[in-house]
Amino acid sequence: MAETAWRIEPLWDEPADGIGLGYLGRSEAQFAAADCTKWGMEPLPSDHHPVQMILYAGTWLDRHLVKGVMQNHTLVSAELRALLLEYDPEGVHFDPAEFSLRQGEILRDRYWMLKVPRLLDALIPEKSNVRAFKSRRTGKFLGWNYVGNEPPTLKKSVIDGSHVWRLPSLMPTDLYISDLLKTEMDRRALGPFKVEPVPLA
């Protein structure tokens, strides 16, 4: 069993890459009417497809893992989508995305909005730099917050056999992948992306 997993996120050029991405038409109305956190993580009904976007500045059409319009919205290429379905079909869902480009071209079947419905209660709070988050009104425990931004320590026994997941009680928008999946993403050059090692215990 691996001793490390990875917290992963898309990588944009530094200091700025000039990307301009927005929702278009029907997607704007859908987004306005939805809980933005859930909209970025949970599958959309099929009658909301495709997610319509406009790329009005910059380009990243050679990338495989891309930030969407909102911070918790992640897009993957057709190649990375195929890999995720190969390794962990039960852990992922993909809403099709359609892009209007500046030249007037409509880009279809190239990028998909990644949803990771798998929530694994794998956090080991006593070995992680986190603190309890409680309701000010009732004192009820609501989850955990980072004290720093270092990745938490996770239980190997809980994540074993999974290749992509989120945590329900600590920043559920964060994405985690197995060491095996990261190795294959590296081998196939399905990036760029930022990863941080996540210790397992």
Side-chain angles (χ1 to χ4, degrees):
M1 191 184 301
E3 298 299 320
T4 303
W6 302 87
R7 186 169 66 179
I8 186 170
E9 62 179 296
L11 180 67
W12 279 8
D13 296 337
E14 296 294 342
D17 58 8
I19 296 294
L21 183 65
Y23 290 114
L24 183 68
R26 185 179 61 187
S27 292
E28 288 184 334
Q30 293 165 4
F31 182 72
D35 179 303
C36 64
T37 300
K38 291 182 179 179
W39 202 86
M41 297 187 298
E42 297 180 359
L44 288 172
S46 59
D47 61 354
H48 286 48
H49 295 169
V51 178
Q52 295 175 317
M53 300 183 185
I54 180 170
L55 184 63
Y56 56 84
T59 182
W60 38 243
L61 299 182
D62 59 340
R63 299 188 176 199
H64 296 280
L65 187 67
V66 182
K67 288 182 185 288
V69 178
M70 306 296 287
Q71 184 170 352
N72 61 324
H73 296 178
T74 301
L75 300 162
V76 297
S77 68
E79 294 89 344
L80 181 50
R81 174 178 179 263
L83 176 64
L84 290 168
L85 286 172
E86 175 186 339
Y87 269 67
D88 205 344
E90 301 300 321
V92 291
H93 173 86
F94 302 94
D95 290 327
E98 183 177 282
F99 295 84
S100 295
L101 306 183
R102 295 185 302 282
Q103 303 86 347
E105 178 187 357
I106 303 296
L107 186 68
R108 299 181 178 91
D109 301 322
R110 175 62 186 145
Y111 285 98
W112 301 72
M113 183 172 278
L114 171 65
K115 308 294 176 71
V116 179
R118 178 183 287 131
L119 293 169
L120 297 180
D121 191 11
L123 175 68
I124 306 177
E126 61 272 19
K127 294 187 177 183
S128 304
N129 194 12
V130 297
R131 64 169 171 256
F133 173 57
K134 298 181 180 180
S135 167
R136 291 184 179 180
R137 185 174 62 86
T138 66
K140 180 182 178 181
F141 173 75
L142 300 175
W144 300 93
N145 283 336
Y146 290 114
V147 175
N149 195 35
E150 61 192 67
T153 299
L154 304 182
K155 295 178 185 175
K156 283 193 287 189
S157 60
V158 174
I159 69 167
D160 187 33
S162 298
H163 294 290
V164 58
W165 67 91
R166 297 184 286 113
L167 300 176
S169 59
L170 174 69
M171 196 60 71
T173 54
D174 284 354
L175 291 177
Y176 297 85
I177 62 172
S178 69
D179 189 58
L180 187 63
L181 179 58
K182 178 189 175 292
T183 298
E184 190 61 17
M185 289 174 69
D186 288 337
R187 190 184 73 81
R188 300 189 192 187
L190 296 180
F193 49 80
K194 176 183 176 181
V195 289
E196 298 172 287
V198 176
L200 305 179

